[in-house]
Amino acid sequence: MGTRISSFHFISLQEPRRAMKTVSSSQALFPTSSKLCTPYLLLLPLGLLAAVVVIPSLGSSHVRSNGLGVLCPGLDTDGYSVASGAAEKVVSTSAETTTLTAPQPEFRLLVGVLTTPKRYERRGIVRLAYALQPPTPAYAKVDVRFVLCGVGIDPVDRTLVALEAARHGDILLLNCTENMNDGKTHEYFSSVPRTFSSEPYDYVMKTDDDTYLRVAAMAAELRSKPRDDAYIGYGFEVGDDPMQFMHGMGYIVSWDIASWVSTNEDILRYNDTHGPEDLLFGKWLNIGKRGKNRYDLKPRMYDLNWFRDNFRPDTIAVHMIKDNRRWAEAFRYFNVTA
C-alpha cells in the first residue's frame, strides 16, 4: 500500500472488423463436384495442414493487432468487445444464443508514455512490455498511448509515425514542438480532458519510455485510492518545501486535476511551463492547493541501479531502463520470456 502524504490531434485508427462468411466443412475442404479425382485426394492432406497451421496464425494476429493486447480497445482473448461501455460476450449453444454482459470496471486509467518520433525501436519494445503482461484485473480498464509532439516536416517521421498509428492505434499527437522540459507535459495534461471529454477517465498517468510499468500492480494500488484530488507516484521533497513532488518517471493524477490544469490560464500567463517538468507540475498543484490526496509509492517505484541488481518482486514501476540490455534484464527478471 502507498503511504499517504497529508496535507492535439489524436490518431487512433483501429482495424475494421472483417465480415466472415460461414461455410460448412464440406464446402471448405471439398470441391462442389460429387466426384473426387486423384489430384484432389493428393492435395487434401496439404489443405488440412494449411487449415491447422495458417488459420490459427491469422486468428492470433487479429487478436493482437492493436499491439497492446487487452490494454487497448478491441477484442481480448476471452472474446469480450471492450471498445466502449459494458463488454458483451456471445455464447452460442445448439438450442439458443445468450448474450452475457461483463461488469463495468470500477475505474479507468489512461497511461501516456512520453516519447519522440524517432524512437521507433523503443516504442516497439515498450509495446511488447505492455502486451505480454498478465491481463488487467476486471475492476480496471487501462489504455496506453504513446505521446508525441507534432512530427514536423521530416517526411520519414511523418510517414513512419502515420504507419504506426494506422497499425497500432495508440499514438497521441500533441500540438507542440518536440521537447522534454519545455511544455510538453503541460500540453499533454491540457489535451487529454478535451480529447477524451466524451468518455473521461478516472486517472491520468504520465510516464516515460524508459519506465517499465507493471499495470496489474498499479491497478491494484489505485483501487482503494480516492478518485478526486489525487496525486500519486514516487514522492520526493525539494529543499524546505513541506509539500511533496512526484518523480517524472511516472505519476498519476485524478481526472479533476487534469481538467484543472487544462483550464488554468495562470500557468501559461506566467510562462510557468519551462523547466524540469515533474518539479513544475508539483509547483502548479502546490500553488493551486490541489492534490491534497498524495500517495508515495516508494519503494515499489524506483530507479534501476548501475549493476541492474535491485529489481523487486513487488515492483509497480522501475525507471532508468535506457537500453536494450536493461530491457532484456527486466523481461527476464519478471519472467516475461518464460
Side-chain angles (χ1 to χ4, degrees):
M1 296 295 291
T3 303
R4 179 171 179 177
I5 309 299
S6 301
S7 331
F8 64 175
H9 175 58
F10 180 54
I11 299 179
S12 180
L13 305 178
Q14 303 292 346
E15 290 187 351
R17 295 183 182 272
R18 295 177 174 84
M20 298 183 66
K21 182 179 179 181
T22 303
V23 295
S24 67
S25 59
S26 60
Q27 290 175 313
L29 297 178
F30 298 104
T32 55
S33 172
S34 60
K35 187 175 181 180
L36 289 174
C37 62
T38 301
Y40 282 129
L41 292 176
L42 292 175
L43 292 173
L44 180 57
L46 296 178
L48 291 173
L49 179 62
V52 171
V53 175
V54 176
I55 294 176
S57 174
L58 292 175
S60 174
S61 174
H62 178 69
V63 168
R64 299 176 183 272
S65 64
N66 290 322
L68 296 179
V70 298
L71 301 179
C72 269
L75 287 177
D76 68 13
T77 54
D78 289 328
Y80 284 105
S81 175
V82 294
S84 62
E88 292 186 348
K89 183 176 183 179
V90 178
V91 179
S92 299
T93 65
S94 58
E96 61 182 1
T97 299
T98 304
T99 300
L100 304 179
T101 301
Q104 288 276 11
E106 297 175 19
F107 65 87
R108 300 174 68 239
L109 166 66
L110 174 67
V111 178
V113 182
L114 271 64
T115 182
T116 61
K118 296 186 183 301
R119 298 172 75 88
Y120 304 106
E121 181 184 22
R122 174 62 58 81
R123 286 194 292 279
I125 292 173
V126 176
R127 280 193 185 95
L128 289 175
Y130 285 112
L132 298 179
Q133 291 187 33
T136 307
Y139 57 75
K141 175 69 167 63
V142 182
D143 291 324
V144 180
R145 298 291 180 264
F146 291 94
V147 182
L148 296 76
C149 285
V151 293
I153 62 174
D154 187 328
V156 175
D157 287 343
R158 294 177 67 87
T159 300
L160 296 184
V161 170
L163 288 175
E164 271 190 274
R167 177 65 180 89
H168 300 289
D170 60 4
I171 300 294
L172 183 61
L173 280 181
L174 305 178
N175 184 24
C176 57
T177 302
E178 194 58 66
N179 69 90
M180 183 174 72
N181 289 317
D182 199 21
K184 182 174 181 177
T185 295
H186 179 266
E187 184 65 27
Y188 166 60
F189 280 101
S190 296
S191 299
V192 163
R194 297 192 298 267
T195 304
F196 300 100
S197 59
S198 61
E199 288 188 279
Y201 289 85
D202 296 285
Y203 298 106
V204 181
M205 181 175 190
K206 175 266 170 186
T207 188
D208 295 330
D209 64 5
D210 63 344
T211 296
Y212 180 46
L213 173 67
R214 300 179 73 203
V215 177
M218 179 60 84
E221 191 66 44
L222 291 177
R223 192 177 190 186
S224 62
K225 299 295 187 289
R227 304 285 191 262
D228 57 3
D229 210 22
Y231 183 31
I232 303 166
Y234 176 116
F236 66 98
E237 296 177 359
V238 179
D240 297 328
D241 193 332
M243 299 299 289
Q244 199 160 45
F245 299 78
M246 300 300 167
H247 194 294
M249 66 176 286
Y251 51 87
I252 293 175
V253 297
S254 50
W255 184 260
D256 61 306
I257 288 183
S259 298
W260 175 79
V261 171
S262 178
T263 58
N264 189 337
E265 296 180 357
D266 286 343
I267 296 174
L268 294 178
R269 180 180 297 120
Y270 297 111
N271 200 28
D272 207 9
T273 60
H274 307 284
E277 57 88 15
D278 48 2
L279 291 178
L280 286 176
F281 195 92
K283 176 184 175 182
W284 304 334
L285 270 55
N286 293 346
I287 293 176
K289 295 180 170 49
R290 303 280 173 161
K292 294 183 176 63
N293 297 313
R294 301 193 181 197
Y295 295 86
D296 182 2
L297 301 187
K298 292 195 307 291
R300 298 180 65 195
M301 295 181 72
Y302 57 94
D303 286 333
L304 185 63
N305 66 21
W306 179 260
F307 301 102
R308 308 187 301 277
D309 62 358
N310 64 322
F311 288 111
R312 297 172 53 96
D314 63 347
T315 295
I316 292 177
V318 53
H319 181 231
M320 296 294 289
I321 308 183
K322 297 288 189 181
D323 55 40
N324 290 355
R325 179 183 296 275
R326 288 185 160 229
W327 278 104
E329 292 278 1
F331 290 151
R332 282 195 292 268
Y333 180 84
F334 295 110
N335 212 27
V336 175
T337 57

